[in-house]
Amino acid sequence: MDKFAFDIAHFLAGSLVLVSLLLLYQDRLSALLNVFAFQAVVLALSVSWQAYVQGAPHLYLTAAIALIVKAIVIPVALHRMIRRLGIHREVETALNVGTTMLAGLALVALSIVVVLRVTADAGTLAREDLAFALSVVLLGLLMMVTRRNAVSQVVGFMSLENGLILAATGAKGMPFVVEISVAFSVLVAFIVIGIFLFRIRECFDTVDLQALDDLRERRG
């Protein structure tokens, strides 16, 4: 791979990590969904570049799925969902923004150190893509742990899955049928989670998990 192609791949994968950190920084649901849509656009660009560099045409379809489903369909559906649920307020967090960002930076550093050490025999591009992919996965997990709102935890779950796609495409891709299966599974999970959110809202008049814990303690 020539230096220009490597630099572009490196820039796009690094941008995905940066957008993941921006997700952690958001304190309003609408802004969180917009940044998630942007992350999906960056992922689609990264996968498209990998398709071009690796000469793997099936990855273009993977990029198209990411662009249509994650950058358009799911964010639009989530925007409509939060409007119907009436939850435009700020996102409740277990940690303040500064502490969360420091934890996120520590996870990125840990991912790079661990992956570069255990993949010493792999190609340079695959090693860096895996390091960035693990960073995105851990940042998605961090969001799921530190956010108390169910909608923001759904975004953390789908951001985590974006990291898995980056890992798969950077490591010469996975079988296409697996890619379709993963995309379909995420869509089904999103639909099921949406149904549960509406049911939770109908039963308890909130989707704030801390409020649900408080209610359970009062009933206990």
Side-chain angles (χ1 to χ4, degrees):
M1 178 185 297
D2 60 49
K3 186 175 184 304
F4 177 74
F6 175 82
D7 288 343
I8 295 296
H10 185 94
F11 171 75
L12 291 172
S15 297
L16 203 60
V17 176
L18 181 60
V19 177
S20 297
L21 288 170
L22 287 176
L23 280 174
L24 288 176
Y25 182 75
Q26 303 308 311
D27 59 359
R28 297 190 67 82
L29 277 178
S30 57
L32 181 71
L33 297 181
N34 291 336
V35 175
F36 172 71
F38 180 63
Q39 185 191 47
V41 172
V42 176
L43 175 67
L45 289 174
S46 179
V47 174
S48 298
W49 187 251
Q50 289 287 349
Y52 169 74
V53 170
Q54 298 178 22
H58 68 280
L59 290 181
Y60 286 116
L61 189 52
T62 302
I65 292 173
L67 185 64
I68 295 171
V69 175
K70 292 190 171 181
I72 300 174
V73 175
I74 291 179
V76 169
L78 283 174
H79 272 295
R80 294 184 63 182
M81 189 181 297
I82 65 173
R83 281 198 298 271
R84 290 187 61 183
L85 292 173
I87 48 175
H88 298 278
R89 62 181 185 277
E90 294 183 353
V91 178
E92 298 290 339
T93 59
L95 300 174
N96 61 53
V97 174
T99 304
T100 304
M101 295 299 290
L102 286 176
L105 291 173
L107 289 176
V108 172
L110 177 67
S111 302
I112 293 174
V113 170
V114 171
V115 172
L116 293 185
R117 285 191 177 183
V118 301
T119 59
D121 297 332
T124 305
L125 179 59
R127 294 177 67 200
E128 296 204 357
D129 270 355
L130 287 174
F132 287 135
L134 181 59
S135 301
V136 175
V137 169
L138 293 180
L139 291 175
L141 284 174
L142 180 62
M143 173 174 286
M144 294 178 69
V145 170
T146 58
R147 301 302 174 98
R148 292 175 174 167
N149 184 283
V151 175
S152 58
Q153 291 186 342
V154 171
V155 172
F157 168 73
M158 289 186 289
S159 174
L160 181 156
E161 200 264 340
N162 285 345
L164 296 179
I165 293 177
L166 179 65
T169 55
K172 301 298 182 184
M174 53 183 163
F176 182 65
V177 65
V178 178
E179 296 175 33
I180 294 295
S181 176
V182 171
F184 182 73
S185 299
V186 170
L187 192 58
V188 170
F190 168 75
I191 294 172
V192 172
I193 290 170
I195 293 172
F196 271 106
L197 285 176
F198 278 106
R199 292 295 300 161
I200 292 172
R201 172 71 174 184
E202 288 175 0
C203 293
F204 302 103
D205 200 33
T206 181
V207 292
D208 190 310
L209 299 183
Q210 183 62 41
L212 295 179
D213 285 341
D214 294 341
L215 179 62
R216 184 179 60 183
E217 291 176 0
R218 287 198 297 273
R219 289 183 173 180

